[in-house]
Every structure is written in C-alpha cells, then in structure tokens.
C-alpha cells in the first residue's frame, strides 16, 4: 500500500524505498498487524540534537508517543555557542514553556547583568593608523537592537543537557545509527540500524532531525543525488575560549563583556560572553580556497599562529583578540545546503527538519531558531493528525502524508531564504557584497533588514497556513 502511494506521489528522480516482502506468519516478531487505523499515533525521530529533542518534547506534551534514535552513545559534550532570538523563544514557549526555562538556566547576559545590552555591535576591524595604538576611539560603532534578551549566548551542549532532563525514561535510545528505512507491511515503516538492530514505527511516520550529515535526507533524495549532502562554503571558523579576566585586561570591560563583530576584507571576527561571563567566546571566519572533503571531520585542530597570519594586516584591536586565543584551538569547516537545496522536505510519511532539511552557515546566528520554528510546525500538524484519526474515517496514512506535505510546502521558502541570506551576510561582513562593499553604513542597513525578517516572523500566520495546507493535501 505505502509503496504504491509513494510511487504515485514522488517525482521521477526520487529512488524507491527498499522493501521487504510482508511476513505472512504471526510467529514473526517483526510482523505488523494488517491495519494501522485503530492504533495510536507513534512517531520515530532520528537524531536527538536540539531540534530533535525540542520536537520530541512538543509531541510528548500533546500525548503523542515518541521514540528518539540517536547515533551517539552518550550526550554530546562539545559544541559551539548559540543564541536564541525572542522569536525562537516564543516558539519554544508554544511547544513547552519549560524549554524557555532551560535557556534561562544556561544563558549568559550580554553586558551588565543588571542592565543587559540587547544589541549586536558591528565595527570596522581592518582600517587603522599603522602608528596608532588605539583604532577604536575614532570608528563608528553600529548597534542593532535585538529586543529583550535578544542576544543571550549559551553553549549548545549545556542547553541540550538541560532539555534532556525533561525527558521521561525510555524515550531516547542511544547508539542507534540509522542504516535504512523499509516499507514493511500495510502502512508500516521498519528502521534498520548499523548495529543490526531494528526499530518499528507502528504508525509509520519518521522524522529526520539528524543534522547536517542527515541519513534520512540521503534516503529521501537518493544516495547519488548531490542535494543529499552538505557542501563546503570555503569558509573556516576558528573557535577559542578566553578567560574573561584576560580579555578584560586586554580589551577593557565593555568590549570584553559585550558582543562585537569586526568586519574586514575576506574575513571577520565575532566575540561574545559565555559561561556566566567567565569566558569570552571568539570565532574568527577566514576564506579558504581549498576543498574540504565531506568524509573529513568538520572539526580539526589548529594553532593560533595559523589564524594570526590571516589577520596580520588588521587593526590592533582585532590582532589583540587573536593574540588572546589559546595556542591550540579548533577550526570548523563551514558547510551548508545552498548549492544543492532539497526540492522537498517530505516523501510520503518520512520528512526532515532543522539542519537535515536546510543546513545553514552560522552568519545570521539563526539556524537553530529556524529549526525551532520547524519543531513548532510539526508539533501543530501532528496534533491535527491525532485529532483527525480519532474521528470516523480518519484515514491515518493519508493524514500523515498530508501533514508532512503541508510542512514542506509552508516551511521550505523561509528556511531556504535563510540558507541563502546567511551566505550573503558573510559577504557583507567581509566587504565582498557588490552593493555594500566596505561601506559599513550600507552593510549595517542591509544586515538590519535581513535580521528583522528573521526576528519579526509572524508565527500565527505560519500556523494558519499549515492548517490550510494540511486540509488541502488531506482533501478535507
């Protein structure tokens, strides 16, 4: 049944799912019943990063059964800094208010905690007097207001650790790396993992929240399709943590304790306080003409000398920031999905969300926030499905396919815009944009326009559009 439906719905370039014959004996422990219409809704989520975890909590809050399969054998201990806009926090509160509390538990105030600075700062980090020691007193400082708590940074792993405390036992299964998804009987999906184990999504739907190297995306779009994989943006991000006492002694209290971004030719530097203002997180982005193969780890060891060479001609403030970095640090290859975007986020009763659907470079700082919008959208849609299947003639299989098709139709345009705009924001910061060039006034205005499109998103309108699309695809 599922195979025939997918054959009618999928574009010709999509490969078929792998299928197994339906077992005919009741002794087979994997044998599903013949009809799923009377079974409760149960969702299989692949990946327990930030988006998978938040989506799971949203579904659990709707009394929808969830099983999360995570390839890591233990919760992550590493990761980059992250900040959530007011819009992202509103989405969190609509999913589960406790998630907002998790942000508050680990977030670091920008500036004075008693009088937080809700601005993103931009400044020219390149031009300077070769004989001068202070290159900032005469430069214009641009301040982009983000709204209350609009730029509170935290560590991804610390935030995720707080979120995971909210999970009931037995929901998350660790060490489960997905190998393939199979049609298995009437309206059933079988999950096969690389360790040889099997999982069964009894009501069929599978949601891939498995990140930038998503296996679910690969299965939906095909292993030979370049859109199945992220691609290198030819930018490297050097990351390091500096003790705040050292940063303050070198840069002054205000500069060290407040977020700043320094623009210049073909590179830019960002820093902001983390760990309750005990550390200053530094990220230096540099253009890289070489290739970065996908099978190479996206994180590599680097040295301070390596990054210092890229900023040797910059102003003394930026050079001082680089000099504060530890002798050994990490460099991350920046990948995204711009070059080969996914033409759809769903296929039948399988879909992808977050980075699995629309991996973005980090230059807007909004990839996770857009993923949280995805989580709210899927929570709302699957709640509609749950309500639908409780009525006579609910047609669960059709309802699930309609929900995922609606998700793709509504969420794709905005999320793909973010992927493109994030790349373009990097060009603005690095004075390569053909309109702005090195004109910081023009660059600031353009970043402000794009940022407001992210921050002032109409969540209510999205939810209404989802319902309209769901009804249209369902035929109601």
């Amino acid at each position: 049944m599922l195979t025939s439906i997918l054959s009618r719905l999928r574009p010709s370039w999509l490969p078929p799912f792998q299928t197994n014959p339906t077992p005919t004996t009741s002794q087979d422990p994997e044998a599903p019943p013949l009809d799923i219409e009377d079974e409760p809704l149960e969702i299989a989520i692949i990946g327990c990063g930030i988006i998978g975890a938040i989506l799971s909590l949203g579904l659990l809050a709707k009394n929808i059964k969830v099983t999360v399969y995570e390839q890591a054998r233990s919760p992550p201990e590493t990761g980059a800094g992250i900040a959530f806009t007011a819009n992202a926090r509103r989405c969190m509160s609509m999913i589960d208010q406790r998630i907002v509390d998790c942000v508050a538990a680990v977030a670091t105030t920008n500036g004075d905690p008693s009088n937080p600075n809700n601005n993103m700062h931009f400044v020219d980090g390149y031009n300077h007097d070769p004989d001068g020691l202070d290159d900032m007193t005469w430069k214009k400082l641009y301040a982009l207001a983000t709204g209350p708590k609009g730029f509170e940074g935290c560590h991804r792993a610390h935030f995720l650790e707080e979120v995971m405390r909210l999970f009931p036992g037995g929901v998350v299964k660790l060490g489960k790396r997905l190998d393939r998804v199979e049609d298995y009987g009437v309206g059933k999906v079988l999950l096969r993992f690389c360790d040889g184990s099997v999982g069964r999504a009894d009501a069929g739907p599978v949601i891939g929240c498995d990140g930038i190297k998503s296996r679910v995306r690969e299965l939906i779009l095909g292993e030979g399709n370049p859109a199945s994989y992220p691609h290198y943006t030819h930018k490297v991000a050097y990351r390091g943590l500096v003790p705040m006492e050292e940063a303050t002694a070198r840069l002054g209290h205000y500069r060290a304790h407040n977020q700043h971004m320094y623009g210049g030719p073909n590179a830019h530097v960002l820093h902001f306080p983390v760990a309750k203002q005990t550390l200053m997180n530094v990220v230096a982005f540099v253009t890289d003409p070489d290739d970065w193969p996908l099978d190479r780890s996206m994180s590599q060891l680097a040295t301070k000398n390596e990054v210092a060479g890229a900023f040797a001609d910059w102003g003394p403030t930026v050079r001082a920031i680089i000099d504060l970095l530890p002798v050994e640090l990490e460099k991350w290859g920046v990948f995204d999905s711009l070059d080969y975007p996914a033409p759809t986020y769903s296929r039948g009763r399988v879909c992808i969300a977050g980075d699995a659907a629309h991996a973005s470079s980090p230059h807007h700082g909004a990839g996770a926030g857009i993923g949280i919008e995805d989580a709210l959208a899927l929570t709302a849609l699957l709640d509609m499905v749950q309500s639908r299947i409780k009525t006579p003639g609910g047609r669960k299989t059709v309802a699930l396919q309609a929900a995922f098709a609606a998700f793709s139709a509504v969420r794709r345009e905005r999320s793909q815009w973010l992927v493109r705009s994030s790349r373009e924001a990097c060009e603005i910061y690095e004075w390569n944009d053909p309109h702005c060039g090195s004109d910081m006034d023009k660059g600031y205005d353009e970043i402000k326009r794009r940022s407001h499109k992210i921050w002032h998103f109409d969540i209510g309108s999205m939810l209404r559009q989802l319902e309209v699309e769901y009804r249209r695809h369902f035929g109601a």
Side-chain angles (χ1 to χ4, degrees):
M1 178 181 177
L2 177 59
T3 303
S4 62
I5 292 173
L6 290 175
S7 297
R8 295 196 301 272
L9 292 179
R10 72 172 183 269
S12 59
W13 48 263
L14 284 176
F17 276 118
Q18 296 171 300
T19 58
N20 282 353
T22 303
T24 57
T25 62
S26 60
Q27 287 75 25
D28 189 329
E30 297 176 356
L34 295 178
D35 192 350
I36 69 166
E37 295 300 325
D38 295 329
E39 296 181 17
L41 192 59
E42 179 178 356
I43 311 296
I45 294 178
I46 309 300
C48 197
I50 288 177
I51 307 308
I54 288 177
L55 172 59
S56 300
L57 289 177
L59 297 178
L60 290 169
K62 300 294 185 182
N63 295 314
I64 296 173
K65 186 176 180 181
V66 175
T67 303
V68 185
Y69 299 96
E70 165 58 43
Q71 68 177 0
R73 296 191 176 276
S74 61
E77 297 180 356
T78 60
I82 190 171
F84 297 108
T85 64
N87 179 74
R89 292 198 306 275
R90 283 195 297 271
C91 289
M92 289 176 182
S93 68
M94 297 173 74
I95 295 169
D96 187 329
Q97 177 60 41
R98 298 176 300 169
I99 301 171
V100 182
D101 298 335
C102 292
V103 177
V106 297
T108 297
T109 302
N110 189 45
D112 182 359
S114 63
N115 186 25
N117 183 348
N118 299 312
N119 293 314
M120 297 175 63
H121 294 104
F122 304 90
V123 67
D124 172 0
Y126 181 75
N127 289 304
H128 62 284
D129 178 355
D131 299 322
L133 297 177
D134 186 354
D135 65 332
M136 289 295 151
T137 56
W138 53 274
K139 290 181 179 178
K140 183 176 181 179
L141 179 66
Y142 299 84
L144 176 55
T146 64
K149 297 184 178 181
F151 202 96
E152 287 191 335
C154 63
H155 193 286
R156 286 175 183 264
H158 296 167
F159 171 66
L160 186 56
E161 181 180 1
E162 291 293 321
V163 171
M164 295 304 295
R165 297 181 196 275
L166 304 178
F167 273 75
V171 172
V172 180
K173 299 184 182 299
L174 298 173
K176 297 298 178 185
R177 183 181 182 87
L178 183 67
D179 179 28
R180 60 188 186 274
V181 178
E182 298 176 353
D183 174 23
Y184 197 61
V186 181
K188 301 291 177 175
V189 171
L190 200 68
L191 308 173
R192 293 197 179 274
F193 299 97
C194 293
D195 64 0
S197 63
V198 174
R200 194 174 72 195
D202 286 335
V206 177
I207 303 176
C209 299
D210 47 342
I212 191 168
K213 292 185 177 182
S214 170
R215 175 59 174 164
V216 180
R217 179 183 176 117
E218 190 178 351
L219 292 173
I220 287 177
L221 302 181
E223 295 180 352
N225 189 341
S228 296
Y229 311 99
H231 296 267
Y232 189 39
T233 67
H234 292 280
K235 297 290 179 182
V236 173
Y238 294 89
R239 303 177 184 271
L241 294 171
V242 178
M244 188 58 77
E245 289 184 0
E246 295 180 19
T248 301
R250 193 75 175 269
L251 304 174
H253 187 278
Y254 183 86
R255 189 166 299 280
H257 286 77
N258 287 270
Q259 181 269 356
H260 286 79
M261 196 287 295
Y262 305 84
N266 298 313
H268 68 284
V269 176
L270 172 72
H271 66 72
F272 53 91
V274 295
K276 303 301 181 182
Q277 297 200 350
T278 62
L279 297 170
M280 187 178 80
N281 185 49
V282 178
V283 189
F285 293 93
V286 175
T287 301
D288 175 21
D290 298 328
D291 290 327
W292 191 303
L294 188 59
D295 58 1
R296 180 188 185 192
S297 172
M298 292 184 179
S299 174
Q300 299 286 323
L301 291 177
T303 66
K304 180 167 64 177
N305 288 339
E306 183 178 335
V307 63
F311 294 93
D313 296 330
W314 286 51
T317 298
V318 168
R319 295 201 308 271
I321 293 167
I322 300 302
D323 190 51
L324 283 166
L325 289 170
V327 174
E328 292 186 350
L329 63 157
E330 286 185 308
K331 67 176 180 181
W332 293 63
V334 179
F335 286 71
D336 69 11
S337 58
L338 176 64
D339 296 338
Y340 298 93
T344 180
Y345 293 169
S346 71
R347 177 179 162 203
R349 288 174 292 116
V350 180
C351 84
I352 46 178
D355 281 353
H358 42 77
S360 170
S361 56
H363 307 298
H364 269 311
I370 295 292
I372 291 165
E373 293 175 12
D374 287 352
L376 175 61
L378 284 167
T379 298
L381 284 164
L382 290 169
D383 191 37
M384 294 179 205
V385 171
Q386 180 168 245
S387 298
R388 166 66 66 177
I389 64 178
K390 290 179 179 178
T391 63
R395 296 184 293 166
K396 180 183 295 182
T397 298
V398 177
L400 288 165
Q401 290 179 345
F404 287 164
F407 172 77
S408 183
V410 173
R411 291 298 302 159
R412 189 176 181 279
E413 179 179 355
R414 174 170 167 81
S415 55
Q416 290 298 326
W417 172 84
L418 175 74
V419 176
R420 178 171 296 280
S421 185
S422 187
R423 277 258 206 126
E424 292 169 349
C426 182
E427 295 302 292
I428 294 170
Y429 296 150
E430 300 187 355
W431 299 357
N432 290 320
D433 180 80
H435 170 68
C436 301
S438 61
D439 188 327
M440 293 288 289
D441 286 340
K442 290 182 178 179
Y444 168 78
D445 289 341
E446 185 61 22
I447 292 297
K448 180 179 179 179
R449 181 186 69 81
R450 293 167 185 260
S451 297
H452 282 184
K453 183 170 181 176
I454 298 168
W455 301 343
H456 303 310
F457 178 56
D458 189 339
I459 300 170
S461 177
M462 177 192 75
L463 294 173
R464 291 188 292 273
Q465 291 173 14
L466 288 167
E467 183 172 5
V468 169
E469 283 294 318
Y470 170 70
R471 292 181 179 277
R472 184 176 73 83
H473 285 278
F474 188 80

